[in-house]
Every structure is written in structure tokens, then in C-alpha cells.
Amino acid sequence: THRDDLGNALEVDGKVGAITWAVLFGTASVSSTNNAPNSMLTETLRIARSQVGVMEEPPGSNRGVMVNQYLHSVDCPPGLYWCAGFVYWCFESAAKNLHRENPLYKTGGCLMHWNKSSGTKIKGAEAAANPSLVRPGQIFIIDHGRGMGHTGIIEKVEGGFIHTIEGNSNPTGSSNGIGVFQLMRKIVKINRGFIEYN
């Protein structure tokens, strides 16, 4: 069994994607970036990093001093899923610091964000075929079906992987976890896509 740089078994799918390419030819052969393309996304990432470690109070309640603020920013009451509220709050805080309007559509729903976004959208299949389209500061959207989803902010891109900052998650990447975490995901697993704002 062939493994990626993290020791995970490669998935047999008949495709030579960025992860397989890195195994065959080395990580230097695939794109890697940790620089956001504009000041809005740079400031949003700075804000998001400052929130890493925020936890629900009590764990599993979808509540807490900061969690309630994330939810309030999208006009949602305490106790609801809050990953989209976290993303919106980070962008809202960055926009205030930069004295400009928040470019995000105001919603606590991941899929509603995707549907109503005025940002540049990159569909999941496009990103899987060309990982260089994915950049720090972009928002990822996962569609779990039945109107459920998960979202977060990309901190760094490394070949076929993204390093993320996510609210309402946990160390294993749950979409209804207990805090704000820095995680790693495969680009090919982001099925809905990515959004970039200016």
C-alpha cells in the first residue's frame, strides 16, 4: 500500500491527483502557499487564528461567550450549529478593522452562503482537478446532504491538502464539534467548493 506524506493510504481511484503526484515526485513538485491574495483575506486569517482554542461552554452545547457572539453575528440564537457564524464573524471583524463592508452574505447556513454568495466560486470538482485554484483565505463548503453542511477558512494550501481554521468542529473534523480548531483536509473531499472574496 502506498501512503501520502502523513502516512495515510492513498485512495485507489484511477487518478493521479496532487497527493499521488507528491508521493511519486516529491512535495516540491506540487503547489504550496500560505499567503492570502488580498488584505481582506489576510486580516480575516489573522482574526481566525486568534480564535483557535475557543471552546463551547459547556462542550456539546453550541453555546459559550464567543460561540454566542459568532451566532449573534448572523442573527441566530445560542444553541444552533455555528460554523458559518464563525466564518461570518471573522470576516465581519476583519472588515471593521479595515473600515470597509463585509463582503459575505449574512447567514448561519453553509449552503445558503454558497447559494447567495457574490464571491468567486470554485466548484469542488474544479478544485480537485486543479488544486492551484485553492488559496489561503478562501472559504470551503462541504455539503452533507439534506440541507446540512460545514464550512471553514483555508489557512494554507499544500499540494492536495488544505490546512483550515474551523468553528463548531473537533480534532477529527466533525461538523458539529466543540470548538475552533486548526485542521487538515483533502481538497478532493470538499464536495461543494470554495469561495474567494476581495
Side-chain angles (χ1 to χ4, degrees):
T1 301
H2 297 285
R3 300 193 173 276
D4 64 27
D5 286 347
L6 302 174
N8 302 312
L10 293 178
E11 292 182 32
V12 178
D13 59 7
K15 300 175 184 175
V16 179
I19 296 170
T20 303
W21 191 270
V23 170
L24 293 172
F25 303 106
T27 54
S29 67
V30 293
S31 64
S32 176
T33 181
N34 56 7
N35 296 318
N38 61 58
S39 60
M40 181 67 194
L41 301 185
T42 298
E43 180 64 6
T44 299
L45 277 171
R46 189 189 70 76
I47 297 288
R49 287 183 187 110
S50 76
Q51 300 302 296
V52 172
V54 167
M55 300 294 283
E56 294 177 354
E57 302 162 6
S61 66
N62 287 331
R63 297 173 186 270
V65 174
M66 288 308 303
V67 173
N68 294 349
Q69 287 185 36
Y70 306 147
L71 285 165
H72 180 72
S73 75
V74 288
D75 300 327
C76 291
L80 297 181
Y81 291 177
W82 52 276
C83 60
F86 168 74
V87 168
Y88 186 87
W89 182 91
C90 290
F91 273 80
E92 181 72 8
S93 299
K96 285 179 182 174
N97 290 347
L98 297 172
H99 308 289
R100 57 164 291 182
E101 293 291 318
N102 185 348
L104 271 65
Y105 180 78
K106 187 175 184 175
T107 179
C110 303
L111 303 180
M112 179 69 75
H113 181 185
W114 176 265
N115 292 334
K116 299 286 188 178
S117 172
S118 62
T120 301
K121 295 180 187 176
I122 303 160
K123 292 182 180 177
E126 293 174 291
N130 185 2
S132 66
L133 296 172
V134 182
R135 304 193 292 182
Q138 290 179 346
I139 296 166
F140 73 84
I141 306 280
I142 297 172
D143 185 345
H144 291 306
R146 299 187 317 276
M148 302 299 289
H150 185 63
T151 188
I153 303 169
I154 298 171
E155 183 175 24
K156 180 180 178 183
V157 181
E158 220 169 24
F161 293 96
I162 51 174
H163 297 258
T164 63
I165 303 174
E166 306 174 27
N168 206 181
S169 196
N170 66 19
T172 61
S174 168
S175 59
N176 185 25
I178 57 172
V180 179
F181 292 89
Q182 288 172 300
L183 300 170
M184 183 183 287
R185 295 180 181 273
K186 291 181 178 180
I187 290 174
V188 297
K189 296 296 185 182
I190 308 301
N191 61 354
R192 182 53 62 115
F194 302 85
I195 307 172
E196 181 171 309
Y197 290 96
N198 293 317

